[in-house]
Amino acid sequence: MRVRADRDRCCGSGNCVMTVPDVFDQDDAEGLVLVRLAEVPAALREGVRQAAELCPAAAIEVEEDQA
Amino acid sequence: MPGTTATDLPSFPFPELNDNPFDPLAYQERLPEQGPITRVALPTGGWAWLLTQLADVREVLRSPAFSADIMKPGFPLLRPLPAQRDARDRAGVFIRMDPPEHGRYRRMLTPEFMIKSVRRLEPLIQRTVEGFLDDMIAAGPPADLVASFALPVPSLVICHLLGVPYDDHDFFQSRSRVLLSNTTSVADAQAAADELQDYLSRLVTAKERDGGDDLLGRLVAHRLRDGQLTHDEAIGMALLLLVAGHETTANMIGLSTLVLLRHREQFEALGVDPGRAPALVEELLRYLTIVRSGLPRIAVEDAVVGGQQIRAGEGVIALLPAANRDEAVFVDADRFDVDRGGQHHVAFGFGVHQCIGQPLARTELRIALAALAQRLPTLRLAVPPDEVAVRPSFIHGLQKLPVTW
């Protein structure tokens, strides 16, 4: 699974950082999303799906592995 | 439905039910059986679509087809707009702006409320909580938990964060309360807003002169000095944060305590294991959803929401408390269930306007409730439950919470 975040859409609510702090962070200048792990390890995938679902600005895009 | 006049429609907002402060309005009983999206009459005349399903609420609050700008003709207002006198009334009030204008202001503040920034405030929050508990315990029992704990904790914290003197809290608490009360006249609301703006104007001027290691000081130093922000815009932003920063969290602390006293096992478990606080706080946010009258928006282009055609120029109200009790999403939604994992609630709203202070609110609630359960395990109501009264306000809360221990 790969994850991308759109910083133009991001509103800095921090839901993703709360949900999966190993994958998401916010920068100090604008408080906007940073992806720490673009390639998501198996153990964190459910959290990343939830973070995408919770994102109020629809700024997180998840690309699932092909079956 | 077309052709129905506003007078035939149920009146919104629905009255609070004083006998059950947890019930998110008996709205289902008030609406004709027409499905989840129906029309309601507004106190300012006209009507709006009322959205009660979580999916519809999320869709509208995240859609560029809907605007938060209350100046747009036809915007669904619960209180008439005061006559516009000068630009100061709107400057910096970014909760009423749409992207991209909105983002310019919000991004000046987001770093202040990030989880990692709020984490640095935790020792202050802990000290504040313990301090007010010490005072309450020394003076009582009994005590009014709202006046001695629920209100002063967030008030002191937001003062510290913003750089507003806490000694002035009586002044800005009383004016905020007038502003947020749903029984306030337009003239009184305007007078309260004027006084708060004048107060904050003097404060911003003082920060321009003296600086300050606080949010307003940083806003002045980094944004105002180099022309990114005007004096009036700084006032507008400070006003939003000051009003939103204490009343909301204060009401949540009071109501949450009442819920926990009715679910004693949860209160006791929290006292033994403060690690239960995060899940507890999420369920309290969902269950209580204090922004009772929801979030108004106006359609700026035609849209279809939940199968309903909504035309450009029509108003909608995203009824957050109803969405958070949506049975299609939250099983047995009226039940308080800490283990349900209901993080996808919309208690903080949704879309780009979702509460900027949510990490701060969550942290304050967690620390305040855990400390209360640890320090006062025998806490109980000092009056019969039916004497605990709610406050008439756009933000749901208790007048008083008489407790003993």
Side-chain angles (χ1 to χ4, degrees):
Chain A
M1 176 197 273
R2 289 185 61 77
V3 62
R4 277 187 303 269
D6 183 341
R7 287 171 54 89
D8 289 334
R9 284 178 165 235
C10 177
C11 65
S13 71
N15 280 289
C16 55
V17 183
M18 184 176 72
T19 309
V20 213
D22 290 336
V23 173
F24 301 103
D25 197 358
Q26 286 164 279
D27 73 87
D28 291 331
E30 290 188 300
L32 300 181
V33 62
L34 295 172
V35 174
R36 295 157 53 116
L37 280 177
E39 197 69 51
V40 184
L44 300 176
R45 286 177 190 167
E46 197 42 52
V48 168
R49 285 183 200 110
Q50 193 187 17
E53 158 88 8
L54 287 176
C55 178
I60 297 170
E61 197 185 325
V62 175
E63 192 185 313
E64 299 280 356
D65 294 336
Q66 299 299 313
Chain B
M1 195 116 96
T4 312
T5 62
T7 51
D8 298 330
L9 300 170
S11 294
F12 187 84
F14 309 128
E16 280 294 340
L17 303 174
N18 226 338
D19 53 343
N20 185 357
F22 305 138
D23 200 345
L25 324 163
Y27 70 93
Q28 279 128 333
E29 293 159 26
R30 294 176 185 276
L31 298 176
E33 285 179 28
Q34 291 164 332
I37 303 180
T38 176
R39 300 198 302 170
V40 287
L42 300 172
T44 51
W47 57 272
W49 297 104
L50 189 69
L51 309 177
T52 61
Q53 309 281 93
L54 185 73
D56 298 341
V57 163
R58 284 169 51 110
E59 184 182 336
V60 159
L61 293 179
R62 204 158 73 170
S63 164
F66 292 87
S67 165
D69 179 1
I70 60 173
M71 298 305 291
K72 287 202 156 52
F75 194 91
L77 298 166
L78 298 185
R79 183 159 68 195
L81 280 180
Q84 285 285 302
R85 299 149 315 163
D86 53 41
R88 189 173 80 161
D89 288 343
R90 295 200 70 210
V93 184
F94 60 101
I95 61 167
R96 308 288 185 222
M97 297 176 192
D98 297 320
E101 191 188 16
H102 160 264
R104 191 172 79 77
Y105 296 93
R106 178 159 171 137
R107 286 171 187 192
M108 295 182 192
L109 297 173
T110 35
E112 301 279 352
F113 294 96
M114 290 189 293
I115 291 175
K116 57 190 170 191
S117 306
V118 170
R119 202 164 287 143
R120 288 195 284 273
L121 289 173
E122 278 186 25
L124 167 88
I125 297 171
Q126 190 78 49
R127 274 200 312 277
T128 306
V129 161
E130 299 291 348
F132 284 115
L133 274 181
D134 288 342
D135 294 349
M136 188 175 92
I137 291 166
D144 171 15
L145 189 116
V146 169
S148 357
F149 186 63
L151 193 54
V153 166
S155 194
L156 192 144
V157 171
I158 195 71
C159 280
H160 179 93
L161 177 63
L162 291 180
V164 171
Y166 181 69
D167 287 347
D168 298 332
H169 72 277
D170 281 342
F171 164 77
F172 60 77
Q173 271 165 17
S174 64
R175 302 311 185 276
S176 303
R177 196 154 284 177
V178 170
L179 213 53
L180 292 172
S181 167
N182 56 17
T183 55
T184 297
S185 71
V186 180
D188 289 349
Q190 192 56 50
D194 282 345
E195 286 185 80
L196 285 167
Q197 284 173 335
D198 289 342
Y199 172 78
L200 290 168
S201 176
R202 289 193 296 274
L203 197 62
V204 169
T205 301
K207 304 277 179 200
E208 288 176 73
R209 193 183 55 228
D210 309 328
D213 185 21
D214 44 58
L215 190 154
L216 288 182
R218 286 188 287 274
L219 207 56
V220 166
H222 301 147
R223 311 291 185 174
L224 206 145
R225 288 242 167 83
D226 67 5
Q228 290 184 57
L229 204 61
T230 67
H231 181 87
D232 286 348
E233 287 171 331
I235 296 171
M237 294 167 83
L239 182 61
L240 285 181
L241 297 178
L242 186 62
V243 173
H246 68 270
E247 190 82 7
T248 47
T249 311
N251 289 2
M252 270 303 292
I253 293 174
L255 283 163
S256 297
T257 304
L258 186 56
V259 172
L260 289 175
L261 293 182
R262 291 196 186 172
H263 296 266
R264 188 102 221 157
E265 73 293 346
Q266 293 294 341
F267 188 65
E268 286 165 7
L270 179 65
V272 174
D273 177 13
R276 296 176 61 86
L280 183 68
V281 165
E282 289 313 304
E283 177 64 352
L284 286 163
L285 287 163
R286 181 197 74 87
Y287 186 68
L288 291 166
T289 317
I290 57 173
V291 182
R292 283 300 174 102
S293 42
L295 298 174
R297 295 288 187 267
I298 186 165
V300 289
E301 49 190 84
D302 291 350
V304 176
V305 178
Q308 176 64 53
Q309 172 82 53
I310 295 175
R311 306 262 175 215
E314 291 177 350
V316 301
I317 290 167
L319 195 58
L320 305 181
N324 278 344
R325 301 275 181 119
D326 184 346
E327 284 287 344
V329 183
F330 305 104
V331 176
D332 203 359
D334 285 336
R335 193 162 51 90
F336 180 70
D337 177 4
V338 178
D339 301 314
R340 72 166 66 242
Q343 284 88 341
H344 44 305
H345 66 73
V346 285
F348 289 117
F350 203 62
V352 296
H353 292 285
Q354 192 183 56
C355 178
I356 194 171
Q358 54 184 297
L360 179 62
R362 284 187 167 106
T363 302
E364 291 186 61
L365 285 168
R366 237 177 41 226
I367 293 176
L369 297 174
L372 200 59
Q374 282 176 318
R375 300 275 306 271
L376 292 172
T378 61
L379 190 75
R380 60 191 185 279
L381 278 183
V383 294
D386 59 0
E387 285 180 25
V388 179
V390 299
R391 199 199 319 279
S393 172
F394 291 113
I395 311 293
H396 189 50
L398 301 174
Q399 300 265 21
K400 287 181 182 174
L401 185 58
V403 290
T404 188
W405 54 89

